[in-house]
Amino acid sequence: MTEFEPPSAPGSPDASGSSDALGTDGHDAVVLAGGAARRLGGADKPGVRVGGRALLDRVLAACSGAAVTVVVAEPRPTARPVEWAREDPPGGGPLAALDAGLRHTTAEYLVVLSADLPFLDRETVRRLLTALHESGGDGVLLTDPGGRDQPLVAAYRRSALRRELAALRAEHGELTGLPLRRLTGALELTRITDSVASFDCDTWDDIAAARARIREHGHVLDEWITAVKDELGLDLDVDTGILLDLARDAAHGVARPAAPLTTFLVGYAAGRAEGGPEAVAEASRKATALALRWAAEAASDADATATPPGPAGAARPDAG
């Protein structure tokens, strides 16, 4: 397990990453998902669910910008299409698995990930690629809070991996059973510390800690929205604050059931317009304005009803 620490405060480098992130085009991804998971009693670790999603699917969502994503493991259902590869013989270790995955890639930039990273996200992948682009070295990897390298949360130059894997094969005859450090020790690497994205799940205690974290008040909403979008196959980033404000105004100004129904209609309207975040924001603005007008009208009627009556037969002040 990589030691878990609470995430950095919003706006800190660990929380937001580089603002000049390299675009996600032009790279491939290799995900190693074929380990024996002995510390989980041999359970199917990539299929273990955290927040309702398999660990493997969470990692695949984080690297969805890759032109080609290769998963080194026996094929299984996944939330998004991938290519499958397998080391020969199966169970030959991470170096043999990486070599097998590498053969299905062509891009010079390569993201290499394990399949047990519940908090990996797209921003972390962008940070790794940006740092690799700017460093000019062979790779960039995450370290955990204890300073330990996490070579399976990294971005590498494909040419550097091919060079060193060929050297190791020439020296040892095969890659089976060789530790990953034999590869990374020969590379020029840049290191980035990230206590959240580097957290991996090796034991059931790690799984329990991950499941508990996503239900914390500060994380549960983002986790839920991300899970829903992944489940529905949506690739749409919207300002959830706008939708929450709309739901509040509809609930208070109209009726409580108006909140979910209104937000549904806003999403439906934006979808029919084939729009992105801007279409959602515009539909939300219109619906919010309507809810506020509705509330103002109700308040005006309530004030009129509460106006004390004048002398018998006297006209109300607003009577024509």
Side-chain angles (χ1 to χ4, degrees):
M1 180 194 78
T2 299
E3 181 182 359
F4 172 74
E5 289 186 354
S8 304
S12 69
D14 276 359
S16 61
S18 169
S19 60
D20 298 321
L22 183 70
T24 54
D25 292 337
H27 74 276
D28 293 337
V30 173
V31 181
L32 306 190
R38 294 182 180 87
R39 295 174 68 186
L40 286 176
D44 175 26
K45 182 161 67 169
V48 172
R49 296 185 181 277
V50 173
R53 293 189 293 160
L55 284 171
L56 176 57
D57 283 335
R58 295 178 73 94
V59 173
L60 293 178
C63 63
S64 60
V68 173
T69 298
V70 183
V71 179
V72 185
E74 288 297 319
R76 65 171 65 224
T78 53
R80 53 180 293 257
V82 299
E83 294 190 16
W84 298 94
R86 199 70 170 115
E87 71 273 26
D88 186 18
L95 272 188
L98 176 59
D99 182 63
L102 196 65
R103 297 173 185 273
H104 292 255
T105 65
T106 58
E108 174 62 4
Y109 292 98
L110 191 68
V111 178
V112 177
L113 306 166
S114 62
D116 61 351
L117 303 165
F119 305 129
L120 185 71
D121 58 20
R122 295 181 187 180
E123 178 58 30
T124 302
V125 171
R126 284 194 291 266
R127 287 180 63 203
L128 290 168
L129 290 167
T130 298
L132 177 59
H133 177 72
E134 294 176 348
S135 72
D138 295 326
V140 178
L141 53 75
L142 293 191
T143 62
D144 66 18
R148 293 179 290 271
D149 287 350
Q150 302 297 316
L152 297 183
V153 198
Y156 299 99
R157 294 184 188 276
R158 183 174 181 272
S159 55
L161 294 182
R162 286 170 55 86
R163 180 189 71 228
E164 297 305 328
L165 287 170
L168 287 170
R169 189 181 291 104
E171 179 182 355
H172 297 278
E174 60 179 14
L175 301 175
T176 299
L178 293 180
L180 200 55
R181 63 177 178 273
R182 296 297 301 272
L183 171 68
T184 56
L187 298 175
E188 180 185 346
L189 300 174
T190 298
R191 290 165 172 83
I192 299 173
T193 297
D194 190 319
S195 60
V196 177
S198 63
F199 180 83
D200 55 3
C201 293
D202 291 331
T203 68
W204 287 113
D205 285 344
D206 299 338
I207 297 293
R211 287 171 172 170
R213 179 187 181 273
I214 67 170
R215 287 174 170 79
E216 293 173 0
H217 177 71
H219 308 293
V220 65
L221 185 58
D222 286 341
E223 286 284 350
W224 171 249
I225 294 300
T226 299
V228 171
K229 290 194 295 184
D230 190 49
E231 190 74 13
L232 298 180
L234 299 176
D235 186 14
L236 178 65
D237 291 324
V238 298
D239 186 343
T240 55
I242 292 176
L243 294 177
L244 289 174
D245 287 345
L246 167 60
R248 179 201 62 206
D249 291 335
H252 289 199
V254 183
R256 289 180 64 86
L261 294 173
T262 305
T263 52
F264 162 76
L265 291 172
V266 163
Y268 183 72
R272 289 198 61 182
E274 298 183 354
E278 299 82 5
V280 175
E282 176 62 13
S284 297
R285 184 193 64 77
K286 291 180 178 179
T288 297
L290 174 61
L292 293 176
R293 293 197 304 269
W294 188 291
E297 182 179 305
S300 176
D301 288 346
D303 288 343
T305 301
T307 301
R316 286 177 49 180
D318 60 346

